[in-house]
Every structure is written in C-alpha cells, then in structure tokens.
Amino acid sequence: MTKAPTVVLAGGGTAGHINPMLAIARALKDQEPSVNIMTVGTEGSMEATMVPAAGFEISFIPKVPFPRRPTLNALKFPLKFKQSLHVAEKILTDNSASVVVGVGGYVCTPMYLAAQKLGLPVVIHEANAKPGLANKVGAKKAAVVATAFPDTPIKNAQLVGMPMRQNIAELDRVSEATAARERLGLDPHLPTLVVTGGSLGALSLNKTIEEIVDDIAGWGFQVLHITGRDKALRTSQGEIRQAPAYHQIEFITSMEDVYAAADLLIVRSGAATVSEVAAVGVPAIFVPLPIGNGEQALNAKSLVDAGGGLLVADADFTVDWFRQHVPALLTDHKKLKDMASTSYQHGIRDAAAVMARKILEVAHS
C-alpha cells in the first residue's frame, strides 16, 4: 500500500492568507482523506487560533521579518533567520513532509528554503495581484506557482483563482437573499447596501457612512454597516447610533449571508474579498486601502475593468461622492444586474479543488 503523503501548509499573519490555506486543507482531505496535513505559522498570530479552531494541527517557527532599513534588528537578522531555518527543517523532517505549500507571510521564506535544502518540492499560491517577497523568492524553484488574479508578475504563474469556503463558492445569491436578510435582521423587501471594512473596520468608510445615516430612509434603501470590532458608531452620549433603515454590527462571521443579502457592497479590495465578490456575483464599489504597496487597487483592477465593480480612491470616498453615486446606483436595477452578471462570469469557484489536485500530483510524483 502506498503511504499517505504529508502536506505541510505554511502561511499566516492575516485572514487573507489563513482562509485560503484552510480552504486548501479541506479540499485536500476531500480528495484524499488519508492525507496528513500539518500547518506552520508563528505564535501569537491569527493562525495560532484560527487553524486549531478549524481542526488542523499547527507548528510554529520564530517570526523573523526581513529588515527594510539598517537597525539593531537588522544586525540580529542573520542569526535569527538561521534559527528559524533550523526550526523549519526540523518540522519538515519530523513530519516526513512530502511537499511544502506556501500561501504567503513571514513564515514562508524559511519554509521554502528549508524545503529546497531537504530536496522537497514547493507549491506556491500567491493571493495578491502584486506578489509578496516570500513568494517571489520561493517561486524561482517551485514545482507549481498558482495565482488568484490574471497577469500577476511572478515566475511560472498559472491562474487558479482564490481558494475559498464551499458555502461561499457555491452560494446562490438570488435564492438565498430573503432568508439571508431575515437572519441579519434586515427588511427582506428593501434594496440593501452593505458597507464593511472587514473584521478590523475601515475608519474612512465609517466616517463617511456616519455622516449620511439620517438620509438613508429617504433614499428608499437600507444599509447594513459592519463597522469592525470596537468601532461601533456612537452618539455624543456614547449610545449606539440609530436611524431608520440603518443597521450596524461590529462583526459578522457568516459572510455568505452578507453577500446574499446585498444588492450592492462597499468594501476594501483585499484579495479574498475581491475573489469572493466575483465568485458570488455581487456588484461592488471597491475602496482600496491607501497604505501598503498598492496591491489592493491592483487586486480589483481586472474585475473593475471588466465592468463587475467600481473603484474609488480612499481619499475620494467622501459624503459628496456617496450622495452623487450610491443612491442612483441602487435604484438602477439594470446596471446592478449587468454588474452582477459580469462579476459572476469573472469569478473562479473551484480554486481550492484545483490547488488540492495540483498539490497531490506533486506529492505523489
């Protein structure tokens, strides 16, 4: 009998890395139930709680960020990185790894280099349209380099899409809309705008929404505002801000309900968000995070260029912009229908299964 392969999945730091990693892990188990799965991350990070909660084992290596400028930490970097490499090699050896799969984050560079030293194949998934440093390094010798977006500038790239949970990938927005709105405490019959900056929220989005709260009912639609943890809108007396047709909540885990309930989304353009929006076919206005290396605007570019969404700079998402564009769009049913159709056609819904297939092929070769 052929021994079951051991797949080591490395990545973390953000939900944008962890959720695709978990989606790949589930797809691997679906396709080959006997496969052994080990994940690798860093202690005190999101993956340290999210991965065990999802039912997978995790090991840790020291977090050693690459120094961007000459500091005391830069002088310590070589020794710390060597220690991190040693831990990475031990994890791979102790678990008899067959293949290392990286999705990005600090943990990936030492894992890629340790795999190469031990002669193990590497499979990479790059979530962003602008690839990260770790994946660019690992891609040079990887067996497979998969991307979530077309034209991602990374060596040997092949478009696969973004691995995501099945209940999002298989969501039927039209049939689920009424039930989803009821579960979220919304009027099932009113056009619905959902505004969210993700689990941490987005201050600029929240500030603009705060200034139009009292106008919403007069526009004939309702707003579900997901403010982010500890970022609820409050009155000067500290009470939760209330208004007709305005509903706020700090955080929601059932994003499938959010996508089903929405006629229009206003969101950041993280890689996972853009990919999920396209997969379910919901019209969206993307407001990219204004910091970082510009990857959020690039993530949304292909979908926006195709006509499935709109892109507005963070600095331009003002009260005046909202008044001029959003109420009119929410009453333009043909425009919303066309955007939804284009978005859905642009979406990729089988990325987790495709990634699992490619990984198992490499593991068995």
Side-chain angles (χ1 to χ4, degrees):
M1 181 184 288
T2 306
K3 183 183 175 185
T6 296
V7 177
V8 176
L9 292 154
T14 68
H17 288 140
I18 301 162
N19 286 329
M21 182 170 73
L22 292 175
I24 292 169
R26 294 184 190 104
L28 285 165
K29 279 291 186 183
D30 286 343
Q31 291 182 26
E32 190 166 329
S34 63
V35 68
N36 301 304
I37 293 176
M38 167 62 73
T39 68
V40 183
T42 55
E43 285 188 281
S45 56
M46 291 178 72
E47 63 266 23
T49 53
M50 286 178 67
V51 170
F56 294 101
E57 190 177 349
I58 188 166
S59 292
F60 300 110
I61 65 173
K63 181 178 179 179
V64 188
F66 186 80
R68 305 281 180 173
R69 57 183 65 88
T71 62
L72 184 59
N73 281 335
L75 294 175
K76 297 177 180 177
F77 175 78
L79 179 58
K80 286 187 173 181
F81 191 74
K82 187 176 180 181
Q83 292 169 341
S84 186
L85 271 174
H86 176 72
V87 176
E89 287 179 34
K90 189 173 188 309
I91 290 170
L92 295 178
T93 302
D94 289 352
N95 288 280
S96 301
S98 309
V99 58
V100 172
V101 181
V103 297
Y106 291 123
V107 68
C108 285
T109 302
M111 293 304 297
Y112 294 155
L113 294 176
Q116 289 168 14
K117 182 178 177 181
L118 296 171
L120 296 172
V122 168
V123 173
I124 288 174
H125 183 272
E126 175 52 60
N128 284 298
K130 189 170 185 177
L133 179 61
N135 281 351
K136 281 177 25 178
V137 169
K140 293 175 182 177
K141 295 183 179 179
V144 175
V145 180
T147 65
F149 298 107
D151 305 318
T152 300
I154 189 169
K155 188 172 178 141
N156 299 322
Q158 48 184 290
L159 177 64
V160 168
M162 177 70 78
M164 63 187 70
R165 287 184 290 127
Q166 273 188 305
N167 57 356
I168 290 177
E170 298 173 357
L171 178 68
D172 184 339
R173 286 182 56 238
V174 175
S175 65
E176 289 293 326
T178 297
R181 288 177 185 174
E182 289 174 345
R183 283 192 292 269
L184 293 170
L186 303 173
D187 185 329
H189 307 296
L190 270 182
T192 303
L193 169 68
V194 177
V195 182
T196 174
S199 59
L200 299 178
L203 184 60
S204 59
L205 303 191
N206 289 354
K207 286 176 69 176
T208 293
I209 298 306
E210 186 170 23
E211 293 190 49
I212 56 89
V213 161
D214 293 325
D215 299 327
I216 294 168
W219 283 322
F221 58 83
Q222 62 188 335
V223 171
L224 173 62
H225 183 194
I226 306 169
T227 62
R229 288 192 174 99
D230 302 319
K231 292 184 175 66
L233 300 192
R234 297 182 181 274
T235 66
S236 56
Q237 288 76 40
E239 298 172 348
I240 294 291
R241 183 76 186 273
Q242 296 182 351
Y246 173 71
H247 309 261
Q248 67 162 304
I249 188 169
E250 290 190 10
F251 183 68
I252 290 178
T253 55
S254 55
M255 282 305 294
E256 60 274 18
D257 278 348
V258 172
Y259 293 139
D263 290 296
L264 178 67
L265 282 171
I266 296 178
V267 288
R268 290 298 196 200
S269 50
T273 299
V274 174
S275 300
E276 290 177 357
V277 161
V280 303
V282 57
I285 296 170
F286 297 108
V287 187
L289 191 70
I291 59 175
N293 59 10
E295 74 272 12
Q296 284 213 352
L298 290 172
N299 290 342
K301 186 178 186 303
S302 59
L303 182 57
V304 169
D305 287 350
L310 302 175
L311 189 70
V312 55
D314 187 80
D316 295 334
F317 185 70
T318 62
V319 172
D320 287 343
W321 190 95
F322 188 102
R323 292 181 189 279
Q324 289 172 26
H325 295 88
V326 177
L329 182 55
L330 267 163
T331 57
D332 191 340
H333 302 299
K334 183 181 185 306
K335 175 72 170 174
L336 288 176
K337 187 175 180 181
D338 289 346
M339 287 175 69
S341 176
T342 300
S343 182
Y344 189 81
Q345 290 169 24
H346 202 75
I348 300 175
R349 286 163 281 278
D350 64 350
V354 171
M355 281 299 300
R357 213 157 41 239
K358 290 179 180 294
I359 292 162
L360 291 170
E361 286 173 4
V362 171
H364 286 298
S365 62

